[in-house]
Amino acid sequence: MPVIEDGLYDRFRSNPPLSVIAEESPETDLSWFRTLEKQKVDMGFESYSPNFYYENTKVTAIFTADLGRLISLMPEEVREQVQPLSIWPGRGLVALTGYAYHYCDNDSYNEISLAIVTTKPGDANMGPISLFRQSRNADFWGYVLKLPVDTELARVRGVVGYNLPKWLTGIHYRMSERSVIFEVMDQKSGKLDFVFETDRLEDVSEEETIVTNSFINIDQNGRLVYGHADSRQLKHGSTMDDEAVNLELGDGEFSDFIRSLDLGEMVRYDYVPSFQSALYAPKPLASLND
């Protein structure tokens, strides 16, 4: 598996001392990470949990989508535990997120996530009320449909360690004066598949917030598991203005898949130009309330 020579992963295998991070990135605030403890875990390979992401940017657009299609994409075992949130009859929700991990334990990489917004395991599906509760508690649940990345290290760790639907493709991230832009290449042709462009919002809060994003899936041994990431959002803003998001689909397989969801209205856009994250190794779903 190719890794960046002398990069963080090459030197420390997901467990770099924070003193090294402080030396290499002196402007990074490490106070939150000092409150977290890593543990050695077996994820199909030896690693440490949580994985630390020190300097990052993300944008998320939540769209309505065909509820029947979303239900059909979830394995029956998963549907017995969580259901797609129904925002109104026949319409569920999907979240499209572009991540730019500028500095992390696994070196830098970009990622695109497409996930069904679901209930929390054990909770009733109360549609908009469930979504409001998740938003109020900053505790979101989902089932990941697609998760391409642009480094082989990130792909292998995601597939083997988390059993997530990752593949390797080109993902080009950049910021213009007004926009955050992710250009996603088609895996087969290598040509541009789609462009996810969003506004750099002017109304941005610098009040620190902790947000938890959890997912449920089936591991490689056929067991129901869940994983989660806690994110420390340092700068963040949101809007319901659909003009803040422009999704230009092309002719690739990912674009075709997105079309099959019958996306409708954009209901929320989150702009998070600066955040930190701790990604925890999956655990058996049965242990969730232990």
Side-chain angles (χ1 to χ4, degrees):
M1 180 175 61
V3 298
I4 298 174
E5 185 175 356
D6 292 328
L8 280 184
Y9 188 81
D10 188 26
R11 287 177 288 160
F12 301 110
R13 290 301 190 265
S14 296
N15 193 30
L18 290 180
S19 59
V20 171
I21 306 301
E23 180 179 350
E24 295 186 359
S25 184
E27 295 183 357
T28 300
D29 178 5
L30 298 177
S31 59
W32 181 57
F33 295 106
R34 292 192 176 100
T35 69
L36 307 178
E37 182 179 353
K38 285 181 178 257
Q39 296 181 335
K40 185 180 288 188
V41 294
D42 181 2
M43 303 168 57
F45 53 86
E46 184 179 286
S47 189
Y48 290 84
S49 177
N51 215 54
F52 288 169
Y53 295 76
Y54 308 101
E55 298 280 354
N56 318 279
T57 298
K58 68 176 178 179
V59 292
T60 299
I62 300 178
F63 298 93
T64 69
D66 181 78
L67 183 60
R69 172 66 170 151
L70 300 185
I71 292 172
S72 73
L73 291 167
M74 297 174 64
E76 182 177 355
E77 304 97 308
V78 172
R79 295 200 310 270
E80 291 174 352
Q81 304 297 325
V82 299
Q83 298 83 42
L85 287 184
S86 175
I87 193 69
W88 56 70
R91 303 297 290 177
L93 296 171
V94 294
L96 179 65
T97 304
Y99 295 96
Y101 301 118
H102 309 302
Y103 189 49
C104 69
D105 288 347
N106 300 335
D107 303 315
S108 62
Y109 67 99
N110 300 314
E111 180 175 67
I112 300 292
S113 169
L114 181 65
I116 300 172
V117 181
T118 72
T119 58
K120 181 178 180 179
D123 284 2
N125 190 348
M126 301 178 69
I129 296 176
S130 297
L131 181 62
F132 172 76
R133 287 177 177 173
Q134 291 191 20
S135 299
R136 180 189 61 192
N137 298 328
D139 183 10
F140 298 93
W141 279 79
Y143 177 74
V144 181
L145 296 171
K146 303 288 184 181
L147 200 65
V149 292
D150 63 355
T151 71
E152 180 65 3
L153 174 61
R155 187 196 70 81
V156 171
R157 287 180 58 86
V159 171
V160 177
Y162 300 85
N163 205 31
L164 288 167
K166 291 196 174 188
W167 70 91
L168 182 65
T169 195
I171 302 173
H172 304 151
Y173 158 84
R174 71 180 189 274
M175 274 194 176
S176 69
E177 183 178 350
R178 298 182 178 180
S179 302
V180 180
I181 304 163
F182 286 88
E183 296 175 330
V184 183
M185 306 298 128
D186 182 60
Q187 182 186 30
K188 289 186 176 180
S189 69
K191 297 179 180 179
L192 179 64
D193 185 1
F194 69 86
V195 178
F196 182 34
E197 181 172 1
T198 63
D199 285 355
R200 297 178 64 176
L201 301 180
E202 295 182 359
D203 185 14
V204 173
S205 171
E206 295 189 9
E207 180 180 356
E208 178 183 322
T209 62
I210 301 296
V211 176
T212 299
N213 290 97
S214 304
F215 66 88
I216 178 174
N217 68 2
I218 301 171
D219 72 9
Q220 296 185 3
N221 295 314
R223 301 174 301 179
L224 282 168
V225 296
Y226 78 100
H228 77 279
D230 291 333
S231 295
R232 180 194 187 202
Q233 298 190 157
L234 302 175
K235 295 181 181 180
H236 50 95
S238 298
T239 183
M240 297 175 67
D241 182 1
D242 59 7
E243 293 187 358
V245 173
N246 183 33
L247 178 60
E248 296 183 4
L249 299 179
D251 299 323
E253 290 187 356
F254 201 168
S255 287
D256 288 344
F257 182 84
I258 293 174
R259 287 192 188 93
S260 77
L261 304 180
D262 186 24
L263 297 191
E265 180 181 357
M266 190 209 76
V267 299
R268 179 184 171 105
Y269 164 56
D270 292 326
Y271 169 59
V272 189
S274 178
F275 78 100
Q276 299 176 326
S277 189
L279 174 63
Y280 290 81
K283 294 182 178 180
L285 184 63
S287 70
L288 179 60
N289 296 317
D290 290 351

